[in-house]
Amino acid sequence: MSGGVISMVVAPWILACGFLLCSSSFLGAEGAIGVNYGMLGNNLPSPAQVISMYKAKNINYVRLFHPDTAVLAALRNSGIGVVLGTYNEDLARLASDPSFAASWVSSYVQPFAGAVSFRYINAGNEVIPGDPAANVLPAMRNLDAALKAAGISGIPVTTAVATSVLGVSYPPSQGAFSEAASPYMAPIVAYLASRGAPLLVNVYPYFAYAADAERVQLGYALLSASQSASVTDGGVTYTNMFDAIVDAAHAAVEKATGGQAVELVVSETGWPSGGGGVGATVENAAAYNNNLIRHVSGGAGTPRRPGKPVETYLFAMFNENQKPEGVEQHFGLFQPDMTEVYHVDFAASS
């Protein structure tokens, strides 16, 4: 999860991406909606109960932040599409030791490959820019090679990034990777383009709103159809911040690849229902997530990619009591006792 503030001259309510900077066709799941299954809680239901909840709530895709054999076992024959992450602390070994990558695949992918629908493997979450960034692409290459050596095909290997990789994000058409991130992102997106694999991006309009609620219109951040704010950029109009952020990332990728297409998957997005943050209410969280599901599932895509819905994963399934105090403990759709924090209509994503 990412969020923060930078200094940028922007018009009111146009802070679509600027304040986030400190912060498909793949397997036929364009416009699919999934939910992140975070496990930083000491009071969460068992994996079997959680996967049963996914099925009962019509949630057809899940993202796991790290490999967990109990969860993977619960996912067998569930039909749920799975994004499987590595621990960030494993990136150095995955990058430097091909035998470790082979062992990782043999432990967490091979035993489940026939019965679990793996969508992507992401090597690291939100480590670019930063000290571990240099390990990401070598880790991706070694995991790719390990999958191939194991006879496993059709699982793209990628990474998940925060919007902190962007140095320019407004207007969206001028999106570009920062000087700190570009040396890592440019070869990564070129590699993804060569493999036909997507880049995973964590997108949080909430943090843009919370950083400057006096100037960012709430409706623009919440994808509320009734709001009147919009941003015009190169002849296209943005009526919500989510699309603006996604398209700024699209523009950055295109600049880095010389125009080669790389699909984006929104691997995290959400809104806190409590914790004391600006705008962190049950009503706003319910509005954001339900509006987002309708928007993504409607098939309109973004202004830069009209008609190409974005595969999107909500954060997160549960309120997690071992995350940092404050809003981070309140992004869950459900309480640990499996009751709803608020109702989310996943039927709209079917």
Side-chain angles (χ1 to χ4, degrees), residues 189-219:
V189 295
Y191 181 76
L192 294 173
S194 73
R195 306 292 246 186
L199 176 67
L200 309 188
V201 183
N202 298 339
V203 173
Y204 282 100
Y206 169 73
F207 290 111
Y209 172 75
D212 196 348
E214 291 186 2
R215 295 197 297 164
V216 181
Q217 283 200 10
L218 180 61

PDB file of all heavy atoms in Angstrom, residues 189-219:
ATOM      1  N   VAL A 189       9.698  -3.052 -17.947  1.00  0.00           N
ATOM      2  CA  VAL A 189       8.552  -2.985 -18.857  1.00  0.00           C
ATOM      3  C   VAL A 189       8.925  -3.461 -20.254  1.00  0.00           C
ATOM      4  O   VAL A 189       8.088  -4.038 -20.958  1.00  0.00           O
ATOM      5  CB  VAL A 189       7.910  -1.577 -18.880  1.00  0.00           C
ATOM      6  CG1 VAL A 189       7.304  -1.252 -17.525  1.00  0.00           C
ATOM      7  CG2 VAL A 189       8.876  -0.511 -19.329  1.00  0.00           C
ATOM      8  N   ALA A 190      10.188  -3.280 -20.655  1.00  0.00           N
ATOM      9  CA  ALA A 190      10.622  -3.839 -21.941  1.00  0.00           C
ATOM     10  C   ALA A 190      10.571  -5.365 -21.896  1.00  0.00           C
ATOM     11  O   ALA A 190      10.144  -6.019 -22.866  1.00  0.00           O
ATOM     12  CB  ALA A 190      12.034  -3.358 -22.271  1.00  0.00           C
ATOM     13  N   TYR A 191      10.994  -5.930 -20.781  1.00  0.00           N
ATOM     14  CA  TYR A 191      10.936  -7.390 -20.605  1.00  0.00           C
ATOM     15  C   TYR A 191       9.495  -7.878 -20.626  1.00  0.00           C
ATOM     16  O   TYR A 191       9.166  -8.880 -21.288  1.00  0.00           O
ATOM     17  CB  TYR A 191      11.615  -7.768 -19.285  1.00  0.00           C
ATOM     18  CG  TYR A 191      11.651  -9.251 -19.009  1.00  0.00           C
ATOM     19  CD1 TYR A 191      12.546 -10.081 -19.678  1.00  0.00           C
ATOM     20  CD2 TYR A 191      10.792  -9.828 -18.068  1.00  0.00           C
ATOM     21  CE1 TYR A 191      12.589 -11.450 -19.410  1.00  0.00           C
ATOM     22  CE2 TYR A 191      10.833 -11.180 -17.798  1.00  0.00           C
ATOM     23  CZ  TYR A 191      11.737 -11.984 -18.477  1.00  0.00           C
ATOM     24  OH  TYR A 191      11.769 -13.335 -18.220  1.00  0.00           O
ATOM     25  N   LEU A 192       8.618  -7.173 -19.914  1.00  0.00           N
ATOM     26  CA  LEU A 192       7.212  -7.562 -19.904  1.00  0.00           C
ATOM     27  C   LEU A 192       6.615  -7.480 -21.304  1.00  0.00           C
ATOM     28  O   LEU A 192       5.847  -8.353 -21.720  1.00  0.00           O
ATOM     29  CB  LEU A 192       6.423  -6.671 -18.934  1.00  0.00           C
ATOM     30  CG  LEU A 192       6.774  -6.814 -17.451  1.00  0.00           C
ATOM     31  CD1 LEU A 192       6.043  -5.756 -16.626  1.00  0.00           C
ATOM     32  CD2 LEU A 192       6.434  -8.208 -16.936  1.00  0.00           C
ATOM     33  N   ALA A 193       6.964  -6.430 -22.045  1.00  0.00           N
ATOM     34  CA  ALA A 193       6.458  -6.295 -23.411  1.00  0.00           C
ATOM     35  C   ALA A 193       6.911  -7.467 -24.267  1.00  0.00           C
ATOM     36  O   ALA A 193       6.134  -8.003 -25.067  1.00  0.00           O
ATOM     37  CB  ALA A 193       6.936  -4.973 -24.017  1.00  0.00           C
ATOM     38  N   SER A 194       8.158  -7.903 -24.084  1.00  0.00           N
ATOM     39  CA  SER A 194       8.682  -9.009 -24.890  1.00  0.00           C
ATOM     40  C   SER A 194       8.001 -10.326 -24.545  1.00  0.00           C
ATOM     41  O   SER A 194       7.969 -11.244 -25.375  1.00  0.00           O
ATOM     42  CB  SER A 194      10.198  -9.142 -24.684  1.00  0.00           C
ATOM     43  OG  SER A 194      10.505  -9.699 -23.401  1.00  0.00           O
ATOM     44  N   ARG A 195       7.449 -10.432 -23.340  1.00  0.00           N
ATOM     45  CA  ARG A 195       6.797 -11.654 -22.884  1.00  0.00           C
ATOM     46  C   ARG A 195       5.283 -11.603 -22.998  1.00  0.00           C
ATOM     47  O   ARG A 195       4.611 -12.590 -22.685  1.00  0.00           O
ATOM     48  CB  ARG A 195       7.153 -11.934 -21.416  1.00  0.00           C
ATOM     49  CG  ARG A 195       8.630 -11.972 -21.110  1.00  0.00           C
ATOM     50  CD  ARG A 195       9.305 -13.147 -21.748  1.00  0.00           C
ATOM     51  NE  ARG A 195       9.794 -14.070 -20.742  1.00  0.00           N
ATOM     52  CZ  ARG A 195      10.524 -15.142 -21.019  1.00  0.00           C
ATOM     53  NH1 ARG A 195      10.800 -15.455 -22.266  1.00  0.00           N
ATOM     54  NH2 ARG A 195      10.943 -15.938 -20.069  1.00  0.00           N
ATOM     55  N   GLY A 196       4.753 -10.443 -23.362  1.00  0.00           N
ATOM     56  CA  GLY A 196       3.300 -10.304 -23.381  1.00  0.00           C
ATOM     57  C   GLY A 196       2.690 -10.382 -21.996  1.00  0.00           C
ATOM     58  O   GLY A 196       1.565 -10.841 -21.823  1.00  0.00           O
ATOM     59  N   ALA A 197       3.444  -9.929 -21.002  1.00  0.00           N
ATOM     60  CA  ALA A 197       3.002 -10.004 -19.606  1.00  0.00           C
ATOM     61  C   ALA A 197       2.599  -8.611 -19.112  1.00  0.00           C
ATOM     62  O   ALA A 197       3.117  -7.605 -19.596  1.00  0.00           O
ATOM     63  CB  ALA A 197       4.126 -10.560 -18.726  1.00  0.00           C
ATOM     64  N   PRO A 198       1.696  -8.540 -18.144  1.00  0.00           N
ATOM     65  CA  PRO A 198       1.250  -7.234 -17.637  1.00  0.00           C
ATOM     66  C   PRO A 198       2.147  -6.705 -16.535  1.00  0.00           C
ATOM     67  O   PRO A 198       2.918  -7.445 -15.913  1.00  0.00           O
ATOM     68  CB  PRO A 198      -0.133  -7.559 -17.074  1.00  0.00           C
ATOM     69  CG  PRO A 198       0.037  -8.945 -16.530  1.00  0.00           C
ATOM     70  CD  PRO A 198       0.968  -9.645 -17.503  1.00  0.00           C
ATOM     71  N   LEU A 199       2.039  -5.404 -16.275  1.00  0.00           N
ATOM     72  CA  LEU A 199       2.630  -4.793 -15.095  1.00  0.00           C
ATOM     73  C   LEU A 199       1.522  -4.608 -14.064  1.00  0.00           C
ATOM     74  O   LEU A 199       0.430  -4.156 -14.397  1.00  0.00           O
ATOM     75  CB  LEU A 199       3.233  -3.429 -15.454  1.00  0.00           C
ATOM     76  CG  LEU A 199       3.812  -2.615 -14.281  1.00  0.00           C
ATOM     77  CD1 LEU A 199       5.045  -3.296 -13.695  1.00  0.00           C
ATOM     78  CD2 LEU A 199       4.142  -1.189 -14.740  1.00  0.00           C
ATOM     79  N   LEU A 200       1.799  -4.957 -12.811  1.00  0.00           N
ATOM     80  CA  LEU A 200       0.834  -4.763 -11.736  1.00  0.00           C
ATOM     81  C   LEU A 200       1.090  -3.416 -11.066  1.00  0.00           C
ATOM     82  O   LEU A 200       2.235  -3.099 -10.721  1.00  0.00           O
ATOM     83  CB  LEU A 200       0.939  -5.887 -10.697  1.00  0.00           C
ATOM     84  CG  LEU A 200       0.909  -7.334 -11.205  1.00  0.00           C
ATOM     85  CD1 LEU A 200       0.819  -8.306 -10.024  1.00  0.00           C
ATOM     86  CD2 LEU A 200      -0.240  -7.565 -12.165  1.00  0.00           C
ATOM     87  N   VAL A 201       0.025  -2.628 -10.904  1.00  0.00           N
ATOM     88  CA  VAL A 201       0.151  -1.284 -10.342  1.00  0.00           C
ATOM     89  C   VAL A 201      -0.862  -1.120  -9.209  1.00  0.00           C
ATOM     90  O   VAL A 201      -2.044  -1.448  -9.363  1.00  0.00           O
ATOM     91  CB  VAL A 201      -0.095  -0.201 -11.410  1.00  0.00           C
ATOM     92  CG1 VAL A 201       0.122   1.188 -10.817  1.00  0.00           C
ATOM     93  CG2 VAL A 201       0.824  -0.406 -12.618  1.00  0.00           C
ATOM     94  N   ASN A 202      -0.408  -0.609  -8.070  1.00  0.00           N
ATOM     95  CA  ASN A 202      -1.272  -0.353  -6.920  1.00  0.00           C
ATOM     96  C   ASN A 202      -1.757   1.092  -6.982  1.00  0.00           C
ATOM     97  O   ASN A 202      -0.946   2.021  -6.984  1.00  0.00           O
ATOM     98  CB  ASN A 202      -0.515  -0.617  -5.614  1.00  0.00           C
ATOM     99  CG  ASN A 202      -0.058  -2.059  -5.490  1.00  0.00           C
ATOM    100  OD1 ASN A 202      -0.598  -2.954  -6.136  1.00  0.00           O
ATOM    101  ND2 ASN A 202       0.941  -2.302  -4.648  1.00  0.00           N
ATOM    102  N   VAL A 203      -3.064   1.278  -7.034  1.00  0.00           N
ATOM    103  CA  VAL A 203      -3.676   2.576  -7.344  1.00  0.00           C
ATOM    104  C   VAL A 203      -4.590   2.992  -6.198  1.00  0.00           C
ATOM    105  O   VAL A 203      -5.584   2.311  -5.921  1.00  0.00           O
ATOM    106  CB  VAL A 203      -4.466   2.483  -8.671  1.00  0.00           C
ATOM    107  CG1 VAL A 203      -5.256   3.762  -8.923  1.00  0.00           C
ATOM    108  CG2 VAL A 203      -3.529   2.177  -9.838  1.00  0.00           C
ATOM    109  N   TYR A 204      -4.283   4.120  -5.546  1.00  0.00           N
ATOM    110  CA  TYR A 204      -5.044   4.558  -4.373  1.00  0.00           C
ATOM    111  C   TYR A 204      -5.482   6.017  -4.470  1.00  0.00           C
ATOM    112  O   TYR A 204      -4.814   6.909  -3.943  1.00  0.00           O
ATOM    113  CB  TYR A 204      -4.211   4.361  -3.101  1.00  0.00           C
ATOM    114  CG  TYR A 204      -4.161   2.939  -2.622  1.00  0.00           C
ATOM    115  CD1 TYR A 204      -3.060   2.131  -2.903  1.00  0.00           C
ATOM    116  CD2 TYR A 204      -5.214   2.393  -1.901  1.00  0.00           C
ATOM    117  CE1 TYR A 204      -3.017   0.818  -2.465  1.00  0.00           C
ATOM    118  CE2 TYR A 204      -5.171   1.082  -1.454  1.00  0.00           C
ATOM    119  CZ  TYR A 204      -4.074   0.305  -1.741  1.00  0.00           C
ATOM    120  OH  TYR A 204      -4.030  -0.999  -1.307  1.00  0.00           O
ATOM    121  N   PRO A 205      -6.622   6.301  -5.114  1.00  0.00           N
ATOM    122  CA  PRO A 205      -7.156   7.661  -5.070  1.00  0.00           C
ATOM    123  C   PRO A 205      -7.356   8.175  -3.650  1.00  0.00           C
ATOM    124  O   PRO A 205      -7.282   9.389  -3.421  1.00  0.00           O
ATOM    125  CB  PRO A 205      -8.494   7.526  -5.813  1.00  0.00           C
ATOM    126  CG  PRO A 205      -8.277   6.392  -6.759  1.00  0.00           C
ATOM    127  CD  PRO A 205      -7.410   5.420  -6.004  1.00  0.00           C
ATOM    128  N   TYR A 206      -7.598   7.291  -2.696  1.00  0.00           N
ATOM    129  CA  TYR A 206      -7.832   7.737  -1.329  1.00  0.00           C
ATOM    130  C   TYR A 206      -6.705   8.629  -0.829  1.00  0.00           C
ATOM    131  O   TYR A 206      -6.950   9.673  -0.207  1.00  0.00           O
ATOM    132  CB  TYR A 206      -7.997   6.556  -0.361  1.00  0.00           C
ATOM    133  CG  TYR A 206      -7.974   7.049   1.073  1.00  0.00           C
ATOM    134  CD1 TYR A 206      -9.072   7.738   1.592  1.00  0.00           C
ATOM    135  CD2 TYR A 206      -6.836   6.914   1.873  1.00  0.00           C
ATOM    136  CE1 TYR A 206      -9.041   8.266   2.884  1.00  0.00           C
ATOM    137  CE2 TYR A 206      -6.799   7.427   3.163  1.00  0.00           C
ATOM    138  CZ  TYR A 206      -7.898   8.099   3.662  1.00  0.00           C
ATOM    139  OH  TYR A 206      -7.858   8.634   4.933  1.00  0.00           O
ATOM    140  N   PHE A 207      -5.453   8.224  -1.073  1.00  0.00           N
ATOM    141  CA  PHE A 207      -4.336   8.982  -0.515  1.00  0.00           C
ATOM    142  C   PHE A 207      -4.197  10.351  -1.174  1.00  0.00           C
ATOM    143  O   PHE A 207      -3.753  11.315  -0.542  1.00  0.00           O
ATOM    144  CB  PHE A 207      -3.043   8.176  -0.611  1.00  0.00           C
ATOM    145  CG  PHE A 207      -3.019   6.990   0.313  1.00  0.00           C
ATOM    146  CD1 PHE A 207      -3.079   5.707  -0.189  1.00  0.00           C
ATOM    147  CD2 PHE A 207      -2.980   7.171   1.680  1.00  0.00           C
ATOM    148  CE1 PHE A 207      -3.083   4.612   0.664  1.00  0.00           C
ATOM    149  CE2 PHE A 207      -2.985   6.078   2.547  1.00  0.00           C
ATOM    150  CZ  PHE A 207      -3.032   4.798   2.037  1.00  0.00           C
ATOM    151  N   ALA A 208      -4.570  10.449  -2.444  1.00  0.00           N
ATOM    152  CA  ALA A 208      -4.570  11.754  -3.107  1.00  0.00           C
ATOM    153  C   ALA A 208      -5.605  12.660  -2.464  1.00  0.00           C
ATOM    154  O   ALA A 208      -5.360  13.838  -2.198  1.00  0.00           O
ATOM    155  CB  ALA A 208      -4.857  11.584  -4.592  1.00  0.00           C
ATOM    156  N   TYR A 209      -6.791  12.106  -2.214  1.00  0.00           N
ATOM    157  CA  TYR A 209      -7.845  12.884  -1.577  1.00  0.00           C
ATOM    158  C   TYR A 209      -7.434  13.302  -0.164  1.00  0.00           C
ATOM    159  O   TYR A 209      -7.553  14.473   0.219  1.00  0.00           O
ATOM    160  CB  TYR A 209      -9.156  12.087  -1.539  1.00  0.00           C
ATOM    161  CG  TYR A 209     -10.218  12.763  -0.713  1.00  0.00           C
ATOM    162  CD1 TYR A 209     -10.888  13.883  -1.200  1.00  0.00           C
ATOM    163  CD2 TYR A 209     -10.517  12.315   0.575  1.00  0.00           C
ATOM    164  CE1 TYR A 209     -11.833  14.535  -0.421  1.00  0.00           C
ATOM    165  CE2 TYR A 209     -11.460  12.962   1.356  1.00  0.00           C
ATOM    166  CZ  TYR A 209     -12.116  14.068   0.846  1.00  0.00           C
ATOM    167  OH  TYR A 209     -13.048  14.722   1.615  1.00  0.00           O
ATOM    168  N   ALA A 210      -6.941  12.350   0.613  1.00  0.00           N
ATOM    169  CA  ALA A 210      -6.609  12.628   2.014  1.00  0.00           C
ATOM    170  C   ALA A 210      -5.489  13.657   2.133  1.00  0.00           C
ATOM    171  O   ALA A 210      -5.433  14.413   3.105  1.00  0.00           O
ATOM    172  CB  ALA A 210      -6.219  11.343   2.732  1.00  0.00           C
ATOM    173  N   ALA A 211      -4.605  13.713   1.131  1.00  0.00           N
ATOM    174  CA  ALA A 211      -3.485  14.645   1.180  1.00  0.00           C
ATOM    175  C   ALA A 211      -3.928  16.091   1.007  1.00  0.00           C
ATOM    176  O   ALA A 211      -3.260  17.009   1.494  1.00  0.00           O
ATOM    177  CB  ALA A 211      -2.470  14.289   0.098  1.00  0.00           C
ATOM    178  N   ASP A 212      -5.042  16.324   0.322  1.00  0.00           N
ATOM    179  CA  ASP A 212      -5.488  17.696   0.083  1.00  0.00           C
ATOM    180  C   ASP A 212      -6.990  17.718  -0.157  1.00  0.00           C
ATOM    181  O   ASP A 212      -7.468  18.042  -1.246  1.00  0.00           O
ATOM    182  CB  ASP A 212      -4.747  18.296  -1.102  1.00  0.00           C
ATOM    183  CG  ASP A 212      -4.874  19.820  -1.151  1.00  0.00           C
ATOM    184  OD1 ASP A 212      -5.715  20.367  -0.399  1.00  0.00           O
ATOM    185  OD2 ASP A 212      -4.145  20.449  -1.933  1.00  0.00           O
ATOM    186  N   ALA A 213      -7.728  17.369   0.894  1.00  0.00           N
ATOM    187  CA  ALA A 213      -9.178  17.230   0.755  1.00  0.00           C
ATOM    188  C   ALA A 213      -9.866  18.556   0.456  1.00  0.00           C
ATOM    189  O   ALA A 213     -10.987  18.570  -0.064  1.00  0.00           O
ATOM    190  CB  ALA A 213      -9.769  16.623   2.023  1.00  0.00           C
ATOM    191  N   GLU A 214      -9.213  19.672   0.736  1.00  0.00           N
ATOM    192  CA  GLU A 214      -9.836  20.962   0.445  1.00  0.00           C
ATOM    193  C   GLU A 214      -9.890  21.233  -1.058  1.00  0.00           C
ATOM    194  O   GLU A 214     -10.752  21.968  -1.524  1.00  0.00           O
ATOM    195  CB  GLU A 214      -9.079  22.088   1.161  1.00  0.00           C
ATOM    196  CG  GLU A 214      -9.240  22.063   2.674  1.00  0.00           C
ATOM    197  CD  GLU A 214      -8.608  23.271   3.335  1.00  0.00           C
ATOM    198  OE1 GLU A 214      -8.072  24.139   2.605  1.00  0.00           O
ATOM    199  OE2 GLU A 214      -8.653  23.341   4.575  1.00  0.00           O
ATOM    200  N   ARG A 215      -8.944  20.668  -1.798  1.00  0.00           N
ATOM    201  CA  ARG A 215      -8.894  20.953  -3.237  1.00  0.00           C
ATOM    202  C   ARG A 215      -9.280  19.767  -4.109  1.00  0.00           C
ATOM    203  O   ARG A 215      -9.639  19.945  -5.266  1.00  0.00           O
ATOM    204  CB  ARG A 215      -7.503  21.438  -3.630  1.00  0.00           C
ATOM    205  CG  ARG A 215      -7.132  22.771  -3.005  1.00  0.00           C
ATOM    206  CD  ARG A 215      -5.955  23.398  -3.719  1.00  0.00           C
ATOM    207  NE  ARG A 215      -4.747  22.573  -3.605  1.00  0.00           N
ATOM    208  CZ  ARG A 215      -3.671  22.728  -4.371  1.00  0.00           C
ATOM    209  NH1 ARG A 215      -3.659  23.630  -5.327  1.00  0.00           N
ATOM    210  NH2 ARG A 215      -2.624  21.961  -4.178  1.00  0.00           N
ATOM    211  N   VAL A 216      -9.170  18.565  -3.586  1.00  0.00           N
ATOM    212  CA  VAL A 216      -9.568  17.390  -4.365  1.00  0.00           C
ATOM    213  C   VAL A 216     -11.043  17.116  -4.103  1.00  0.00           C
ATOM    214  O   VAL A 216     -11.440  16.899  -2.960  1.00  0.00           O
ATOM    215  CB  VAL A 216      -8.741  16.147  -3.967  1.00  0.00           C
ATOM    216  CG1 VAL A 216      -9.165  14.943  -4.813  1.00  0.00           C
ATOM    217  CG2 VAL A 216      -7.253  16.404  -4.153  1.00  0.00           C
ATOM    218  N   GLN A 217     -11.845  17.126  -5.135  1.00  0.00           N
ATOM    219  CA  GLN A 217     -13.273  16.871  -4.935  1.00  0.00           C
ATOM    220  C   GLN A 217     -13.499  15.406  -4.575  1.00  0.00           C
ATOM    221  O   GLN A 217     -13.005  14.508  -5.261  1.00  0.00           O
ATOM    222  CB  GLN A 217     -14.071  17.235  -6.198  1.00  0.00           C
ATOM    223  CG  GLN A 217     -14.282  18.725  -6.353  1.00  0.00           C
ATOM    224  CD  GLN A 217     -15.433  19.049  -7.273  1.00  0.00           C
ATOM    225  OE1 GLN A 217     -16.211  18.178  -7.674  1.00  0.00           O
ATOM    226  NE2 GLN A 217     -15.558  20.322  -7.619  1.00  0.00           N
ATOM    227  N   LEU A 218     -14.243  15.196  -3.505  1.00  0.00           N
ATOM    228  CA  LEU A 218     -14.490  13.839  -3.024  1.00  0.00           C
ATOM    229  C   LEU A 218     -15.141  12.968  -4.092  1.00  0.00           C
ATOM    230  O   LEU A 218     -14.756  11.816  -4.281  1.00  0.00           O
ATOM    231  CB  LEU A 218     -15.362  13.889  -1.760  1.00  0.00           C
ATOM    232  CG  LEU A 218     -15.719  12.536  -1.133  1.00  0.00           C
ATOM    233  CD1 LEU A 218     -14.462  11.788  -0.703  1.00  0.00           C
ATOM    234  CD2 LEU A 218     -16.659  12.740   0.048  1.00  0.00           C
ATOM    235  N   GLY A 219     -16.112  13.506  -4.799  1.00  0.00           N
ATOM    236  CA  GLY A 219     -16.794  12.720  -5.824  1.00  0.00           C
ATOM    237  C   GLY A 219     -15.860  12.255  -6.923  1.00  0.00           C
ATOM    238  O   GLY A 219     -16.019  11.167  -7.467  1.00  0.00           O
TER     239      GLY A 219
END
